[in-house]
Amino acid sequence: MLNRGFSGYTSAFNKLILPTILRNDNNPQDSIVACVILLGSNDSVLQGIDRRSMTVEQYIDNMSAIIQQLLMAGLPNTKILLVSPPPIHLEKYTKHVEQMG
């Protein structure tokens, strides 16, 4: 198992680096057995607070492009697992942060 996660990256960044990852890690051809994609936490940061923020439409376009790249590299859709980011309850999170100082 290879972990190709990069802290702080968004779906936009991953869409750009995926061709290089596929070129390096999918050798010999079709050696990737499965791919787990968990992206969206950094994409959904608040606009105006973090430059990584993007619209839902941009996120959908990026995820579609990532999946298409994997399919074009020969990975069947049955071997691509999408994991959604966890939900955030802003009021509870704010209260937790305040309690932590």
Side-chain angles (χ1 to χ4, degrees):
M1 177 184 289
L2 297 174
N3 178 0
R4 292 296 180 248
F6 299 95
S7 178
Y9 274 35
T10 64
S11 59
F13 296 149
N14 279 277
K15 177 180 72 173
L16 294 175
I17 66 168
L18 185 57
T20 302
I21 291 172
L22 289 171
R23 193 169 39 255
N24 293 333
D25 291 347
N26 203 25
N27 269 321
Q29 185 64 33
D30 301 326
S31 63
I32 296 176
V33 177
C35 181
V36 178
I37 304 171
L38 192 168
L39 293 169
S41 297
N42 293 324
D43 300 64
S44 64
V45 294
L46 296 175
Q47 290 184 356
I49 294 177
D50 192 312
R51 64 180 176 80
R52 296 174 297 174
S53 68
M54 63 184 64
T55 66
V56 172
E57 291 78 16
Q58 290 171 312
Y59 174 73
I60 290 170
D61 289 345
N62 291 334
M63 292 299 289
S64 296
I66 289 168
I67 293 166
Q68 194 61 35
Q69 288 180 49
L70 292 167
L71 294 171
M72 298 283 290
L75 194 63
N77 62 357
T78 56
K79 303 293 183 175
I80 301 171
L81 176 63
L82 302 176
V83 180
S84 68
I88 294 179
H89 188 281
L90 187 57
E91 289 83 19
K92 286 184 180 181
Y93 177 72
T94 302
K95 183 178 178 181
H96 171 75
V97 170
E98 288 170 354
Q99 289 174 344
M100 298 300 291

